[in-house]
């Protein structure tokens, strides 16, 4: 992949990948950071990206792994801080301006949220998701079924009564 081809690929894919990682992580700044870092790593191996045939999947996977690593680091740091300070501080509730769907997605387990994002936002097949995540196709299908059911339950409006069967 030449410099020009990489720049064109970046211009076409960065917004899409950032949106996908935003849905996966629930944090726009984090998504922007990990996608940028993944592109920096991709720059070094841009010649191999073209041979691999799926540069966008590679960057998405690297960005996801970076996000998980950062989350683990922050979690360990917070745990250490909590052990040292005694009392845990109150965490503020989510900002009311957040989109309802993002709030519902945040309540899902990380693997379900990632699987739903890859399937519905990235338009990947079950087999492609399995290849990208390293999970079996049956596990991917289970995550999709359970994730959809959980979202349907969370997004249901309790003020609207279901119409009686006629």
């Amino acid at each position: 992949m030449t410099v020009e081809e990489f720049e064109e690929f970046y211009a076409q894919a960065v917004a899409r990948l950032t949106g996908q990682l935003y849905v996966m992580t629930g944090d726009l700044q984090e998504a922007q950071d990990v996608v940028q870092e993944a592109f920096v790593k991709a720059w070094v191996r841009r010649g191999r990206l073209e041979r691999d045939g799926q540069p966008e999947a590679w960057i998405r996977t690297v960005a996801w792994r970076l996000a998980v690593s950062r989350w683990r680091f922050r979690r360990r740091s917070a745990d250490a801080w909590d052990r040292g300070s005694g009392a845990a501080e109150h965490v503020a509730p989510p900002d009311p301006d957040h989109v309802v769907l993002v709030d519902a997605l945040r309540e899902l387990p990380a693997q379900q949220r990632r699987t739903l994002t890859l399937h519905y936002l990235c338009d990947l097949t079950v087999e492609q998701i399995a290849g990208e995540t390293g999970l079996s196709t049956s596990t991917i299908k289970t995550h999709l079924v359970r994730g959809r059911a959980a979202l349907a339950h969370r997004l249901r409006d309790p003020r609207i009564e279901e119409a009686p069967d006629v």
Side-chain angles (χ1 to χ4, degrees):
M1 187 178 289
T2 66
V3 172
E4 292 79 19
E5 289 171 336
F6 187 86
E7 288 174 349
E8 183 179 331
F9 166 64
Y10 175 84
Q12 292 174 353
V14 69
R16 181 173 49 252
L17 286 164
T18 301
Q20 294 164 0
L21 268 292
Y22 172 49
V23 174
M24 288 182 198
T25 63
D27 183 336
L28 181 58
Q29 279 187 303
E30 183 72 9
Q32 291 169 332
D33 287 349
V34 295
V35 168
Q36 287 301 318
E37 193 170 338
F39 268 105
V40 168
K41 290 177 182 291
W43 173 260
V44 175
R45 64 179 321 229
R46 66 186 181 276
R48 289 178 292 198
L49 281 178
E50 189 174 50
R51 286 191 302 267
D52 294 344
Q54 296 182 346
E56 194 167 326
W58 186 89
I59 290 173
R60 185 174 38 249
T61 300
V62 169
W64 171 253
R65 289 177 181 162
L66 288 167
V68 169
S69 294
R70 288 176 170 202
W71 177 84
R72 286 179 180 152
F73 175 78
R74 283 193 301 269
R75 186 70 198 150
R76 285 190 305 269
S77 298
D79 288 346
W81 184 262
D82 287 345
R83 283 191 302 272
S85 67
E89 292 186 33
H90 173 70
V91 177
D95 184 1
D97 293 335
H98 284 297
V99 179
V100 174
L101 179 59
V102 172
D103 288 339
L105 283 165
R106 283 183 178 157
E107 294 176 20
L108 295 178
Q111 280 294 7
Q112 283 180 9
R113 185 173 58 242
R114 182 179 183 201
T115 303
L116 288 168
T117 302
L118 291 172
H119 187 66
Y120 291 107
L121 258 73
C122 304
D123 252 354
L124 298 183
T125 66
V126 170
E127 292 76 19
Q128 289 171 320
I129 297 169
E132 189 168 318
T133 62
L135 300 172
S136 69
T137 56
S138 61
T139 302
I140 298 300
K141 290 176 184 177
T142 300
H143 284 315
L144 288 172
V145 168
R146 290 180 181 167
R148 283 189 295 254
L151 280 179
H153 176 72
R154 285 177 173 84
L155 296 175
R156 187 180 43 136
D157 188 348
R159 297 173 296 177
I160 300 174
E161 287 188 46
E162 290 186 23
D165 291 336
V166 179

